[in-house]
Amino acid sequence: MRRRQDLAFRLWTGAFALVLVVVVGAIGFELVRQSLPSIHRFGFAFWRTEIWDPVSGDFGALTFIWGTLYSSVLALVIAAPVAIGIAVFISELCPARLRQPLVFLTELLAAIPSIVYGLWGIFVLVPAVRAVETWTPEVLRHTPLFAGPPLGVGMLAAALVLALMVIPFTSSVAREVLRSVPPAQREAAYALGATRFEAIRAALFYARTGIVGAIMLGFGRALGETMAVTMVIGNNPRISASLFAPQYTMSAVIANEFTEAADPLYLSSLVEIGLVLFVMTLVINSLSRLLIWSMTRSTRSVPVAPAEPMGAAAA
Amino acid sequence: MKRLTVWICAGVLAAAAGATAQSVQINGAGATFPYPIYSKWFSEYNKLHADIQINYQSIGSGGGIQQVTKETVFFGASDGPMTDAQLKAAPGALLHFPTVLGAVVPIYNIPNVKQELKFTGPVLADIYLGKITKWNDPALVKLNPSASLPGTDITVVHRAEASGTSYIFVDFLSKVSPEFKSKVGVSTAVNWPTGVGGKGNEGVSGLVTQTPGAIGYVELIYALQTRISYGVVENSGGAFVKASVQSVTAAAASAAPNMPADFRVSITNAPGKDAYPISSFTWLLLYENPKDKAQAKVMVDFVKWALTDGQKYCAGLGYAPLPGNVVTMEMSALAKIKVS
């Protein structure tokens, strides 16, 4: 009787897990099916064409791929140090009285709908960014990184909004990871005469796979974020290295143009942008899995690894 | 508790009985621009005929055309006329019926210039092509000699998403500038040579009001409701006309004599000295021979009402009503729909 119950339970939950596989498979299948006209028409050129012209029916995804990757990487560069700093402070240094309010605040940030971030971006962040851009010295303005007129909307505003949206996710996961570091690790560090900073560094090293995972989670979120980005990025499909230039992302172009796309090839090209985004997310998630996997394997194969940072700290 | 259950059962039965008593429900989908007036019409018409319920989903013109083509809704609505290819793809003959008029106005933000600026079609086209880049460009100074236009850069703002508003605007620019027509063309979304994209009317006006030296375009209704000042535009008769409910209706009236029988007509750059040049119809899309005759009869009656009594709700919401000559033409076209 017991065994049958166990078996039923296993089948039952297994079926739910299967749903997940089926859903991902169905999404992939449907994306491919609906983008077939566009795949037949443009082939692989779709991935490296910069033109997006609904009037003449010429479509390419490169400008959107660039905008999505550039904005997400920038957001990560801004968000990762801040998020890890928050996580370290809350889990290691913060007075117990402050801990709960701070945790609550980060979780509140994560719960704000993205359209609200977008509105805040338009009315608060964009004017501030414009002021910074106007104030940027002329010498810098001639470098490719800061070229272009001070519009306010553009890559910098988008990266900042994205960073703000990513921080709560990354810092929450990083905080949990740090909390799961065995106390023995820190105690051992202190026993060896480590300062607080060195002990925390040892804990961070111990938790590094989890922290990389937290950062990759933030990256995944930044890749797919739509509404807040489209409201501040300027929506201009041009590839530019400039932080001040208006650019465009994949999810933004889908959201902006899907409702009015009546021509079959146009619609199919938009679906293919979705497919590109799907494939990219898949690849990036797999790569981060691989990274985490290789990191955990290396710690396992070297049993003395936890002692390593101590040696470094002493040196 | 038992009594409550009985009451609920009775209520459900009564509702079901009410529903079967000749009530007609019609679904439609399409353009967002006319949504406020359409929902006003549907609710007013429901007050007059309690048994008729018309539902409208404002999913965008492209979506409306698709849904009506797939016959998942009874009627569609679009801000741009369907193309020949789209009409061919539909399972039956689709008819266009103009319902109200809209217009697009240029808005701008130049510090220390408070007066109304004048624009011509070619000048607007050159600004949106990125050829006129400074506010003190000779072409702009010549049009506005009394305004002290600064030598600052023009920041071009357009709609980010595909929209009927953009369609009307680029349709006008393509008519007055051959270069704009060949380089950009006409569609709800185009490949803009320059500028930044704002999302929705509010996105465009937000960017324009925040950015010194910016120019953008919004729907007339939006400009009226939010009290943004906007520029005047030269029409094909050489007169500078400010957009208003009257000047937009005048554009439709002057276009009426050359109206094709299927009403698929662009009225941008219309002739007539009072006509505002960046005006357009918005259309309902109905099958000539609908499958459901009961719904067809109700819909035809409704459209007749909307084109006559219903027009009085236009001005209050900022839409321009149809001119009388267009209404007359539509009435005879409505007779073509097979209701039995």
Side-chain angles (χ1 to χ4, degrees):
Chain A
M1 187 61 211
R2 265 249 163 93
R3 288 233 18 215
R4 269 177 55 193
Q5 197 182 25
D6 273 357
L7 183 70
F9 186 66
R10 200 163 135 187
L11 288 176
W12 184 47
T13 49
F16 286 150
L18 194 67
V19 166
L20 205 68
V21 179
V22 170
V23 165
V24 172
I27 290 174
F29 174 77
E30 194 59 24
L31 282 174
V32 171
R33 196 179 67 86
Q34 293 210 27
S35 40
L36 277 179
S38 161
I39 292 172
H40 281 306
R41 176 82 174 69
F42 303 112
F44 274 109
F46 189 79
W47 289 71
R48 46 188 160 81
T49 308
E50 283 187 45
I51 298 169
W52 185 262
D53 190 343
V55 180
S56 62
D58 281 334
F59 301 104
L62 190 63
T63 48
F64 307 109
I65 295 175
W66 165 261
T68 299
L69 284 178
Y70 194 28
S71 61
S72 302
V73 168
L74 275 176
L76 217 62
V77 168
I78 302 167
V82 180
I84 293 172
I86 293 173
V88 167
F89 182 74
I90 292 180
S91 72
E92 309 280 330
L93 301 167
C94 171
R97 220 156 18 96
L98 266 177
R99 186 166 295 154
Q100 272 317 309
L102 276 177
V103 169
F104 175 74
L105 275 179
T106 34
E107 266 152 26
L108 189 74
L109 268 183
I112 295 175
S114 63
I115 190 118
V116 176
Y117 276 106
L119 283 175
W120 175 83
I122 286 185
F123 292 111
V124 182
L125 185 67
V126 166
V129 169
R130 188 181 303 113
V132 170
E133 290 177 354
T134 326
W135 171 83
T136 306
E138 201 61 27
V139 191
L140 280 178
R141 294 273 284 280
H142 289 298
T143 60
L145 200 57
F146 301 103
L151 296 170
V153 292
M155 189 47 81
L156 183 59
L160 286 171
V161 165
L162 271 179
L164 200 67
M165 299 178 72
V166 161
I167 283 170
F169 286 86
T170 308
S171 79
S172 292
V173 177
R175 191 185 67 227
E176 290 306 313
V177 170
L178 278 175
R179 257 180 42 180
S180 67
V181 173
Q185 285 289 322
R186 294 189 192 82
E187 284 158 15
Y190 287 127
L192 286 171
T195 62
R196 202 162 198 193
F197 171 69
E198 286 163 345
I200 291 171
R201 208 168 59 170
L204 277 173
F205 183 81
Y206 186 89
R208 65 192 189 285
T209 42
I211 286 172
V212 168
I215 292 171
M216 293 318 288
L217 183 79
F219 193 59
R221 185 167 159 80
L223 280 180
E225 178 47 48
T226 310
M227 205 39 86
V229 173
T230 187
M231 287 167 90
V232 298
I233 201 169
N235 303 303
N236 188 348
R238 303 272 181 282
I239 291 180
S240 163
S242 174
L243 295 176
F244 293 2
Q247 298 185 36
Y248 222 146
T249 67
M250 288 191 267
S251 49
V253 72
I254 296 172
N256 281 336
E257 300 194 356
F258 200 76
T259 49
E260 295 285 331
D263 173 63
L265 183 66
Y266 186 12
L267 195 64
S268 159
S269 297
L270 281 171
V271 176
E272 197 179 345
I273 294 254
L275 179 66
V276 172
L277 186 58
F278 184 71
V279 169
M280 267 178 51
T281 320
L282 218 65
V283 167
I284 285 169
N285 271 320
S286 315
L287 283 180
S288 60
R289 283 274 147 202
L290 267 179
L291 184 70
I292 291 168
W293 179 67
S294 68
M295 279 166 76
T296 34
R297 219 175 50 141
S298 72
T299 37
R300 261 191 219 136
S301 63
V302 188
V304 289
E308 231 171 31
M310 291 305 98
Chain B
M1 188 61 213
K2 208 167 202 176
R3 186 179 283 177
L4 185 70
T5 322
V6 171
W7 275 111
I8 289 172
C9 287
V12 169
L13 283 176
T20 49
Q22 288 302 302
S23 106
V24 180
Q25 197 166 16
I26 300 178
N27 295 318
T32 46
F33 161 70
Y35 177 67
I37 182 78
Y38 286 0
S39 53
K40 176 82 179 161
W41 280 346
F42 299 146
S43 81
E44 290 296 327
Y45 200 66
N46 183 253
K47 282 180 200 161
L48 297 172
H49 307 270
D51 51 340
I52 294 169
Q53 177 93 40
I54 306 176
N55 302 314
Y56 183 73
Q57 302 296 323
S58 57
I59 56 171
S61 302
I65 289 171
Q66 270 185 16
Q67 300 253 322
V68 79
T69 305
K70 288 181 185 158
E71 295 181 285
T72 50
V73 292
F74 184 77
F75 69 94
S78 176
D79 288 339
M82 288 172 71
T83 61
D84 292 337
Q86 286 170 340
L87 282 175
K88 219 172 272 169
L94 271 170
L95 303 178
H96 287 65
F97 292 95
T99 49
V100 289
L101 292 145
V104 176
V105 295
I107 58 172
Y108 47 85
N109 170 8
I110 314 166
N112 306 322
V113 175
K114 294 281 164 267
Q115 73 206 88
E116 220 166 72
L117 288 188
K118 288 178 177 172
F119 296 96
T120 65
V123 163
L124 281 174
D126 282 351
I127 291 175
Y128 273 85
L129 279 169
K131 286 171 72 187
I132 294 180
T133 57
K134 302 269 186 204
W135 280 108
N136 64 354
D137 189 277
L140 279 164
V141 172
K142 196 176 153 210
L143 285 170
N144 304 283
S146 61
S148 49
L149 291 168
T152 50
D153 285 335
I154 300 178
T155 298
V156 172
V157 184
H158 51 75
R159 284 285 280 271
E161 81 282 24
S163 78
T165 311
S166 289
Y167 183 93
I168 297 165
F169 192 64
V170 297
D171 183 50
F172 170 64
L173 296 185
S174 291
K175 275 189 190 169
V176 295
S177 159
E179 190 182 350
F180 194 90
K181 187 174 181 170
S182 66
K183 278 194 179 159
V184 183
V186 184
S187 171
T188 52
V190 297
N191 185 16
W192 295 101
T194 183
V196 294
K199 195 158 168 52
N201 285 303
E202 60 284 358
V204 169
S205 78
L207 281 174
V208 170
T209 47
Q210 281 180 23
T211 316
I215 187 170
Y217 59 89
V218 294
E219 274 163 17
L220 170 64
I221 294 179
Y222 185 81
L224 291 175
Q225 281 169 351
T226 52
R227 299 202 172 79
I228 307 174
S229 57
Y230 50 90
V232 296
V233 183
E234 187 189 40
N235 67 14
S236 66
F240 285 90
V241 182
K242 182 156 186 176
S244 67
V245 168
Q246 292 78 20
S247 63
V248 174
T249 301
S254 68
N258 300 317
M259 180 77 75
D262 62 1
F263 298 104
R264 285 194 297 152
V265 66
S266 150
I267 58 162
T268 53
N269 210 28
K273 66 176 177 26
D274 303 321
Y276 180 70
I278 324 179
S279 306
S280 175
F281 288 121
T282 180
W283 292 266
L284 278 183
L285 308 169
L286 295 170
Y287 280 105
E288 186 172 346
N289 190 10
K291 280 182 187 146
D292 189 323
K293 300 299 176 197
Q295 290 192 1
K297 181 159 182 355
V298 168
M299 195 64 200
V300 167
D301 287 343
F302 164 77
V303 175
K304 280 180 183 162
W305 174 86
L307 295 178
T308 51
D309 290 353
Q311 293 286 314
K312 67 170 179 275
Y313 298 108
C314 286
L317 291 169
Y319 295 89
L322 297 168
N325 47 6
V326 174
V327 173
T328 316
M329 292 171 74
E330 286 191 67
M331 285 301 181
S332 52
L334 269 172
K336 281 196 281 187
I337 294 182
K338 297 184 176 62
V339 294
S340 57

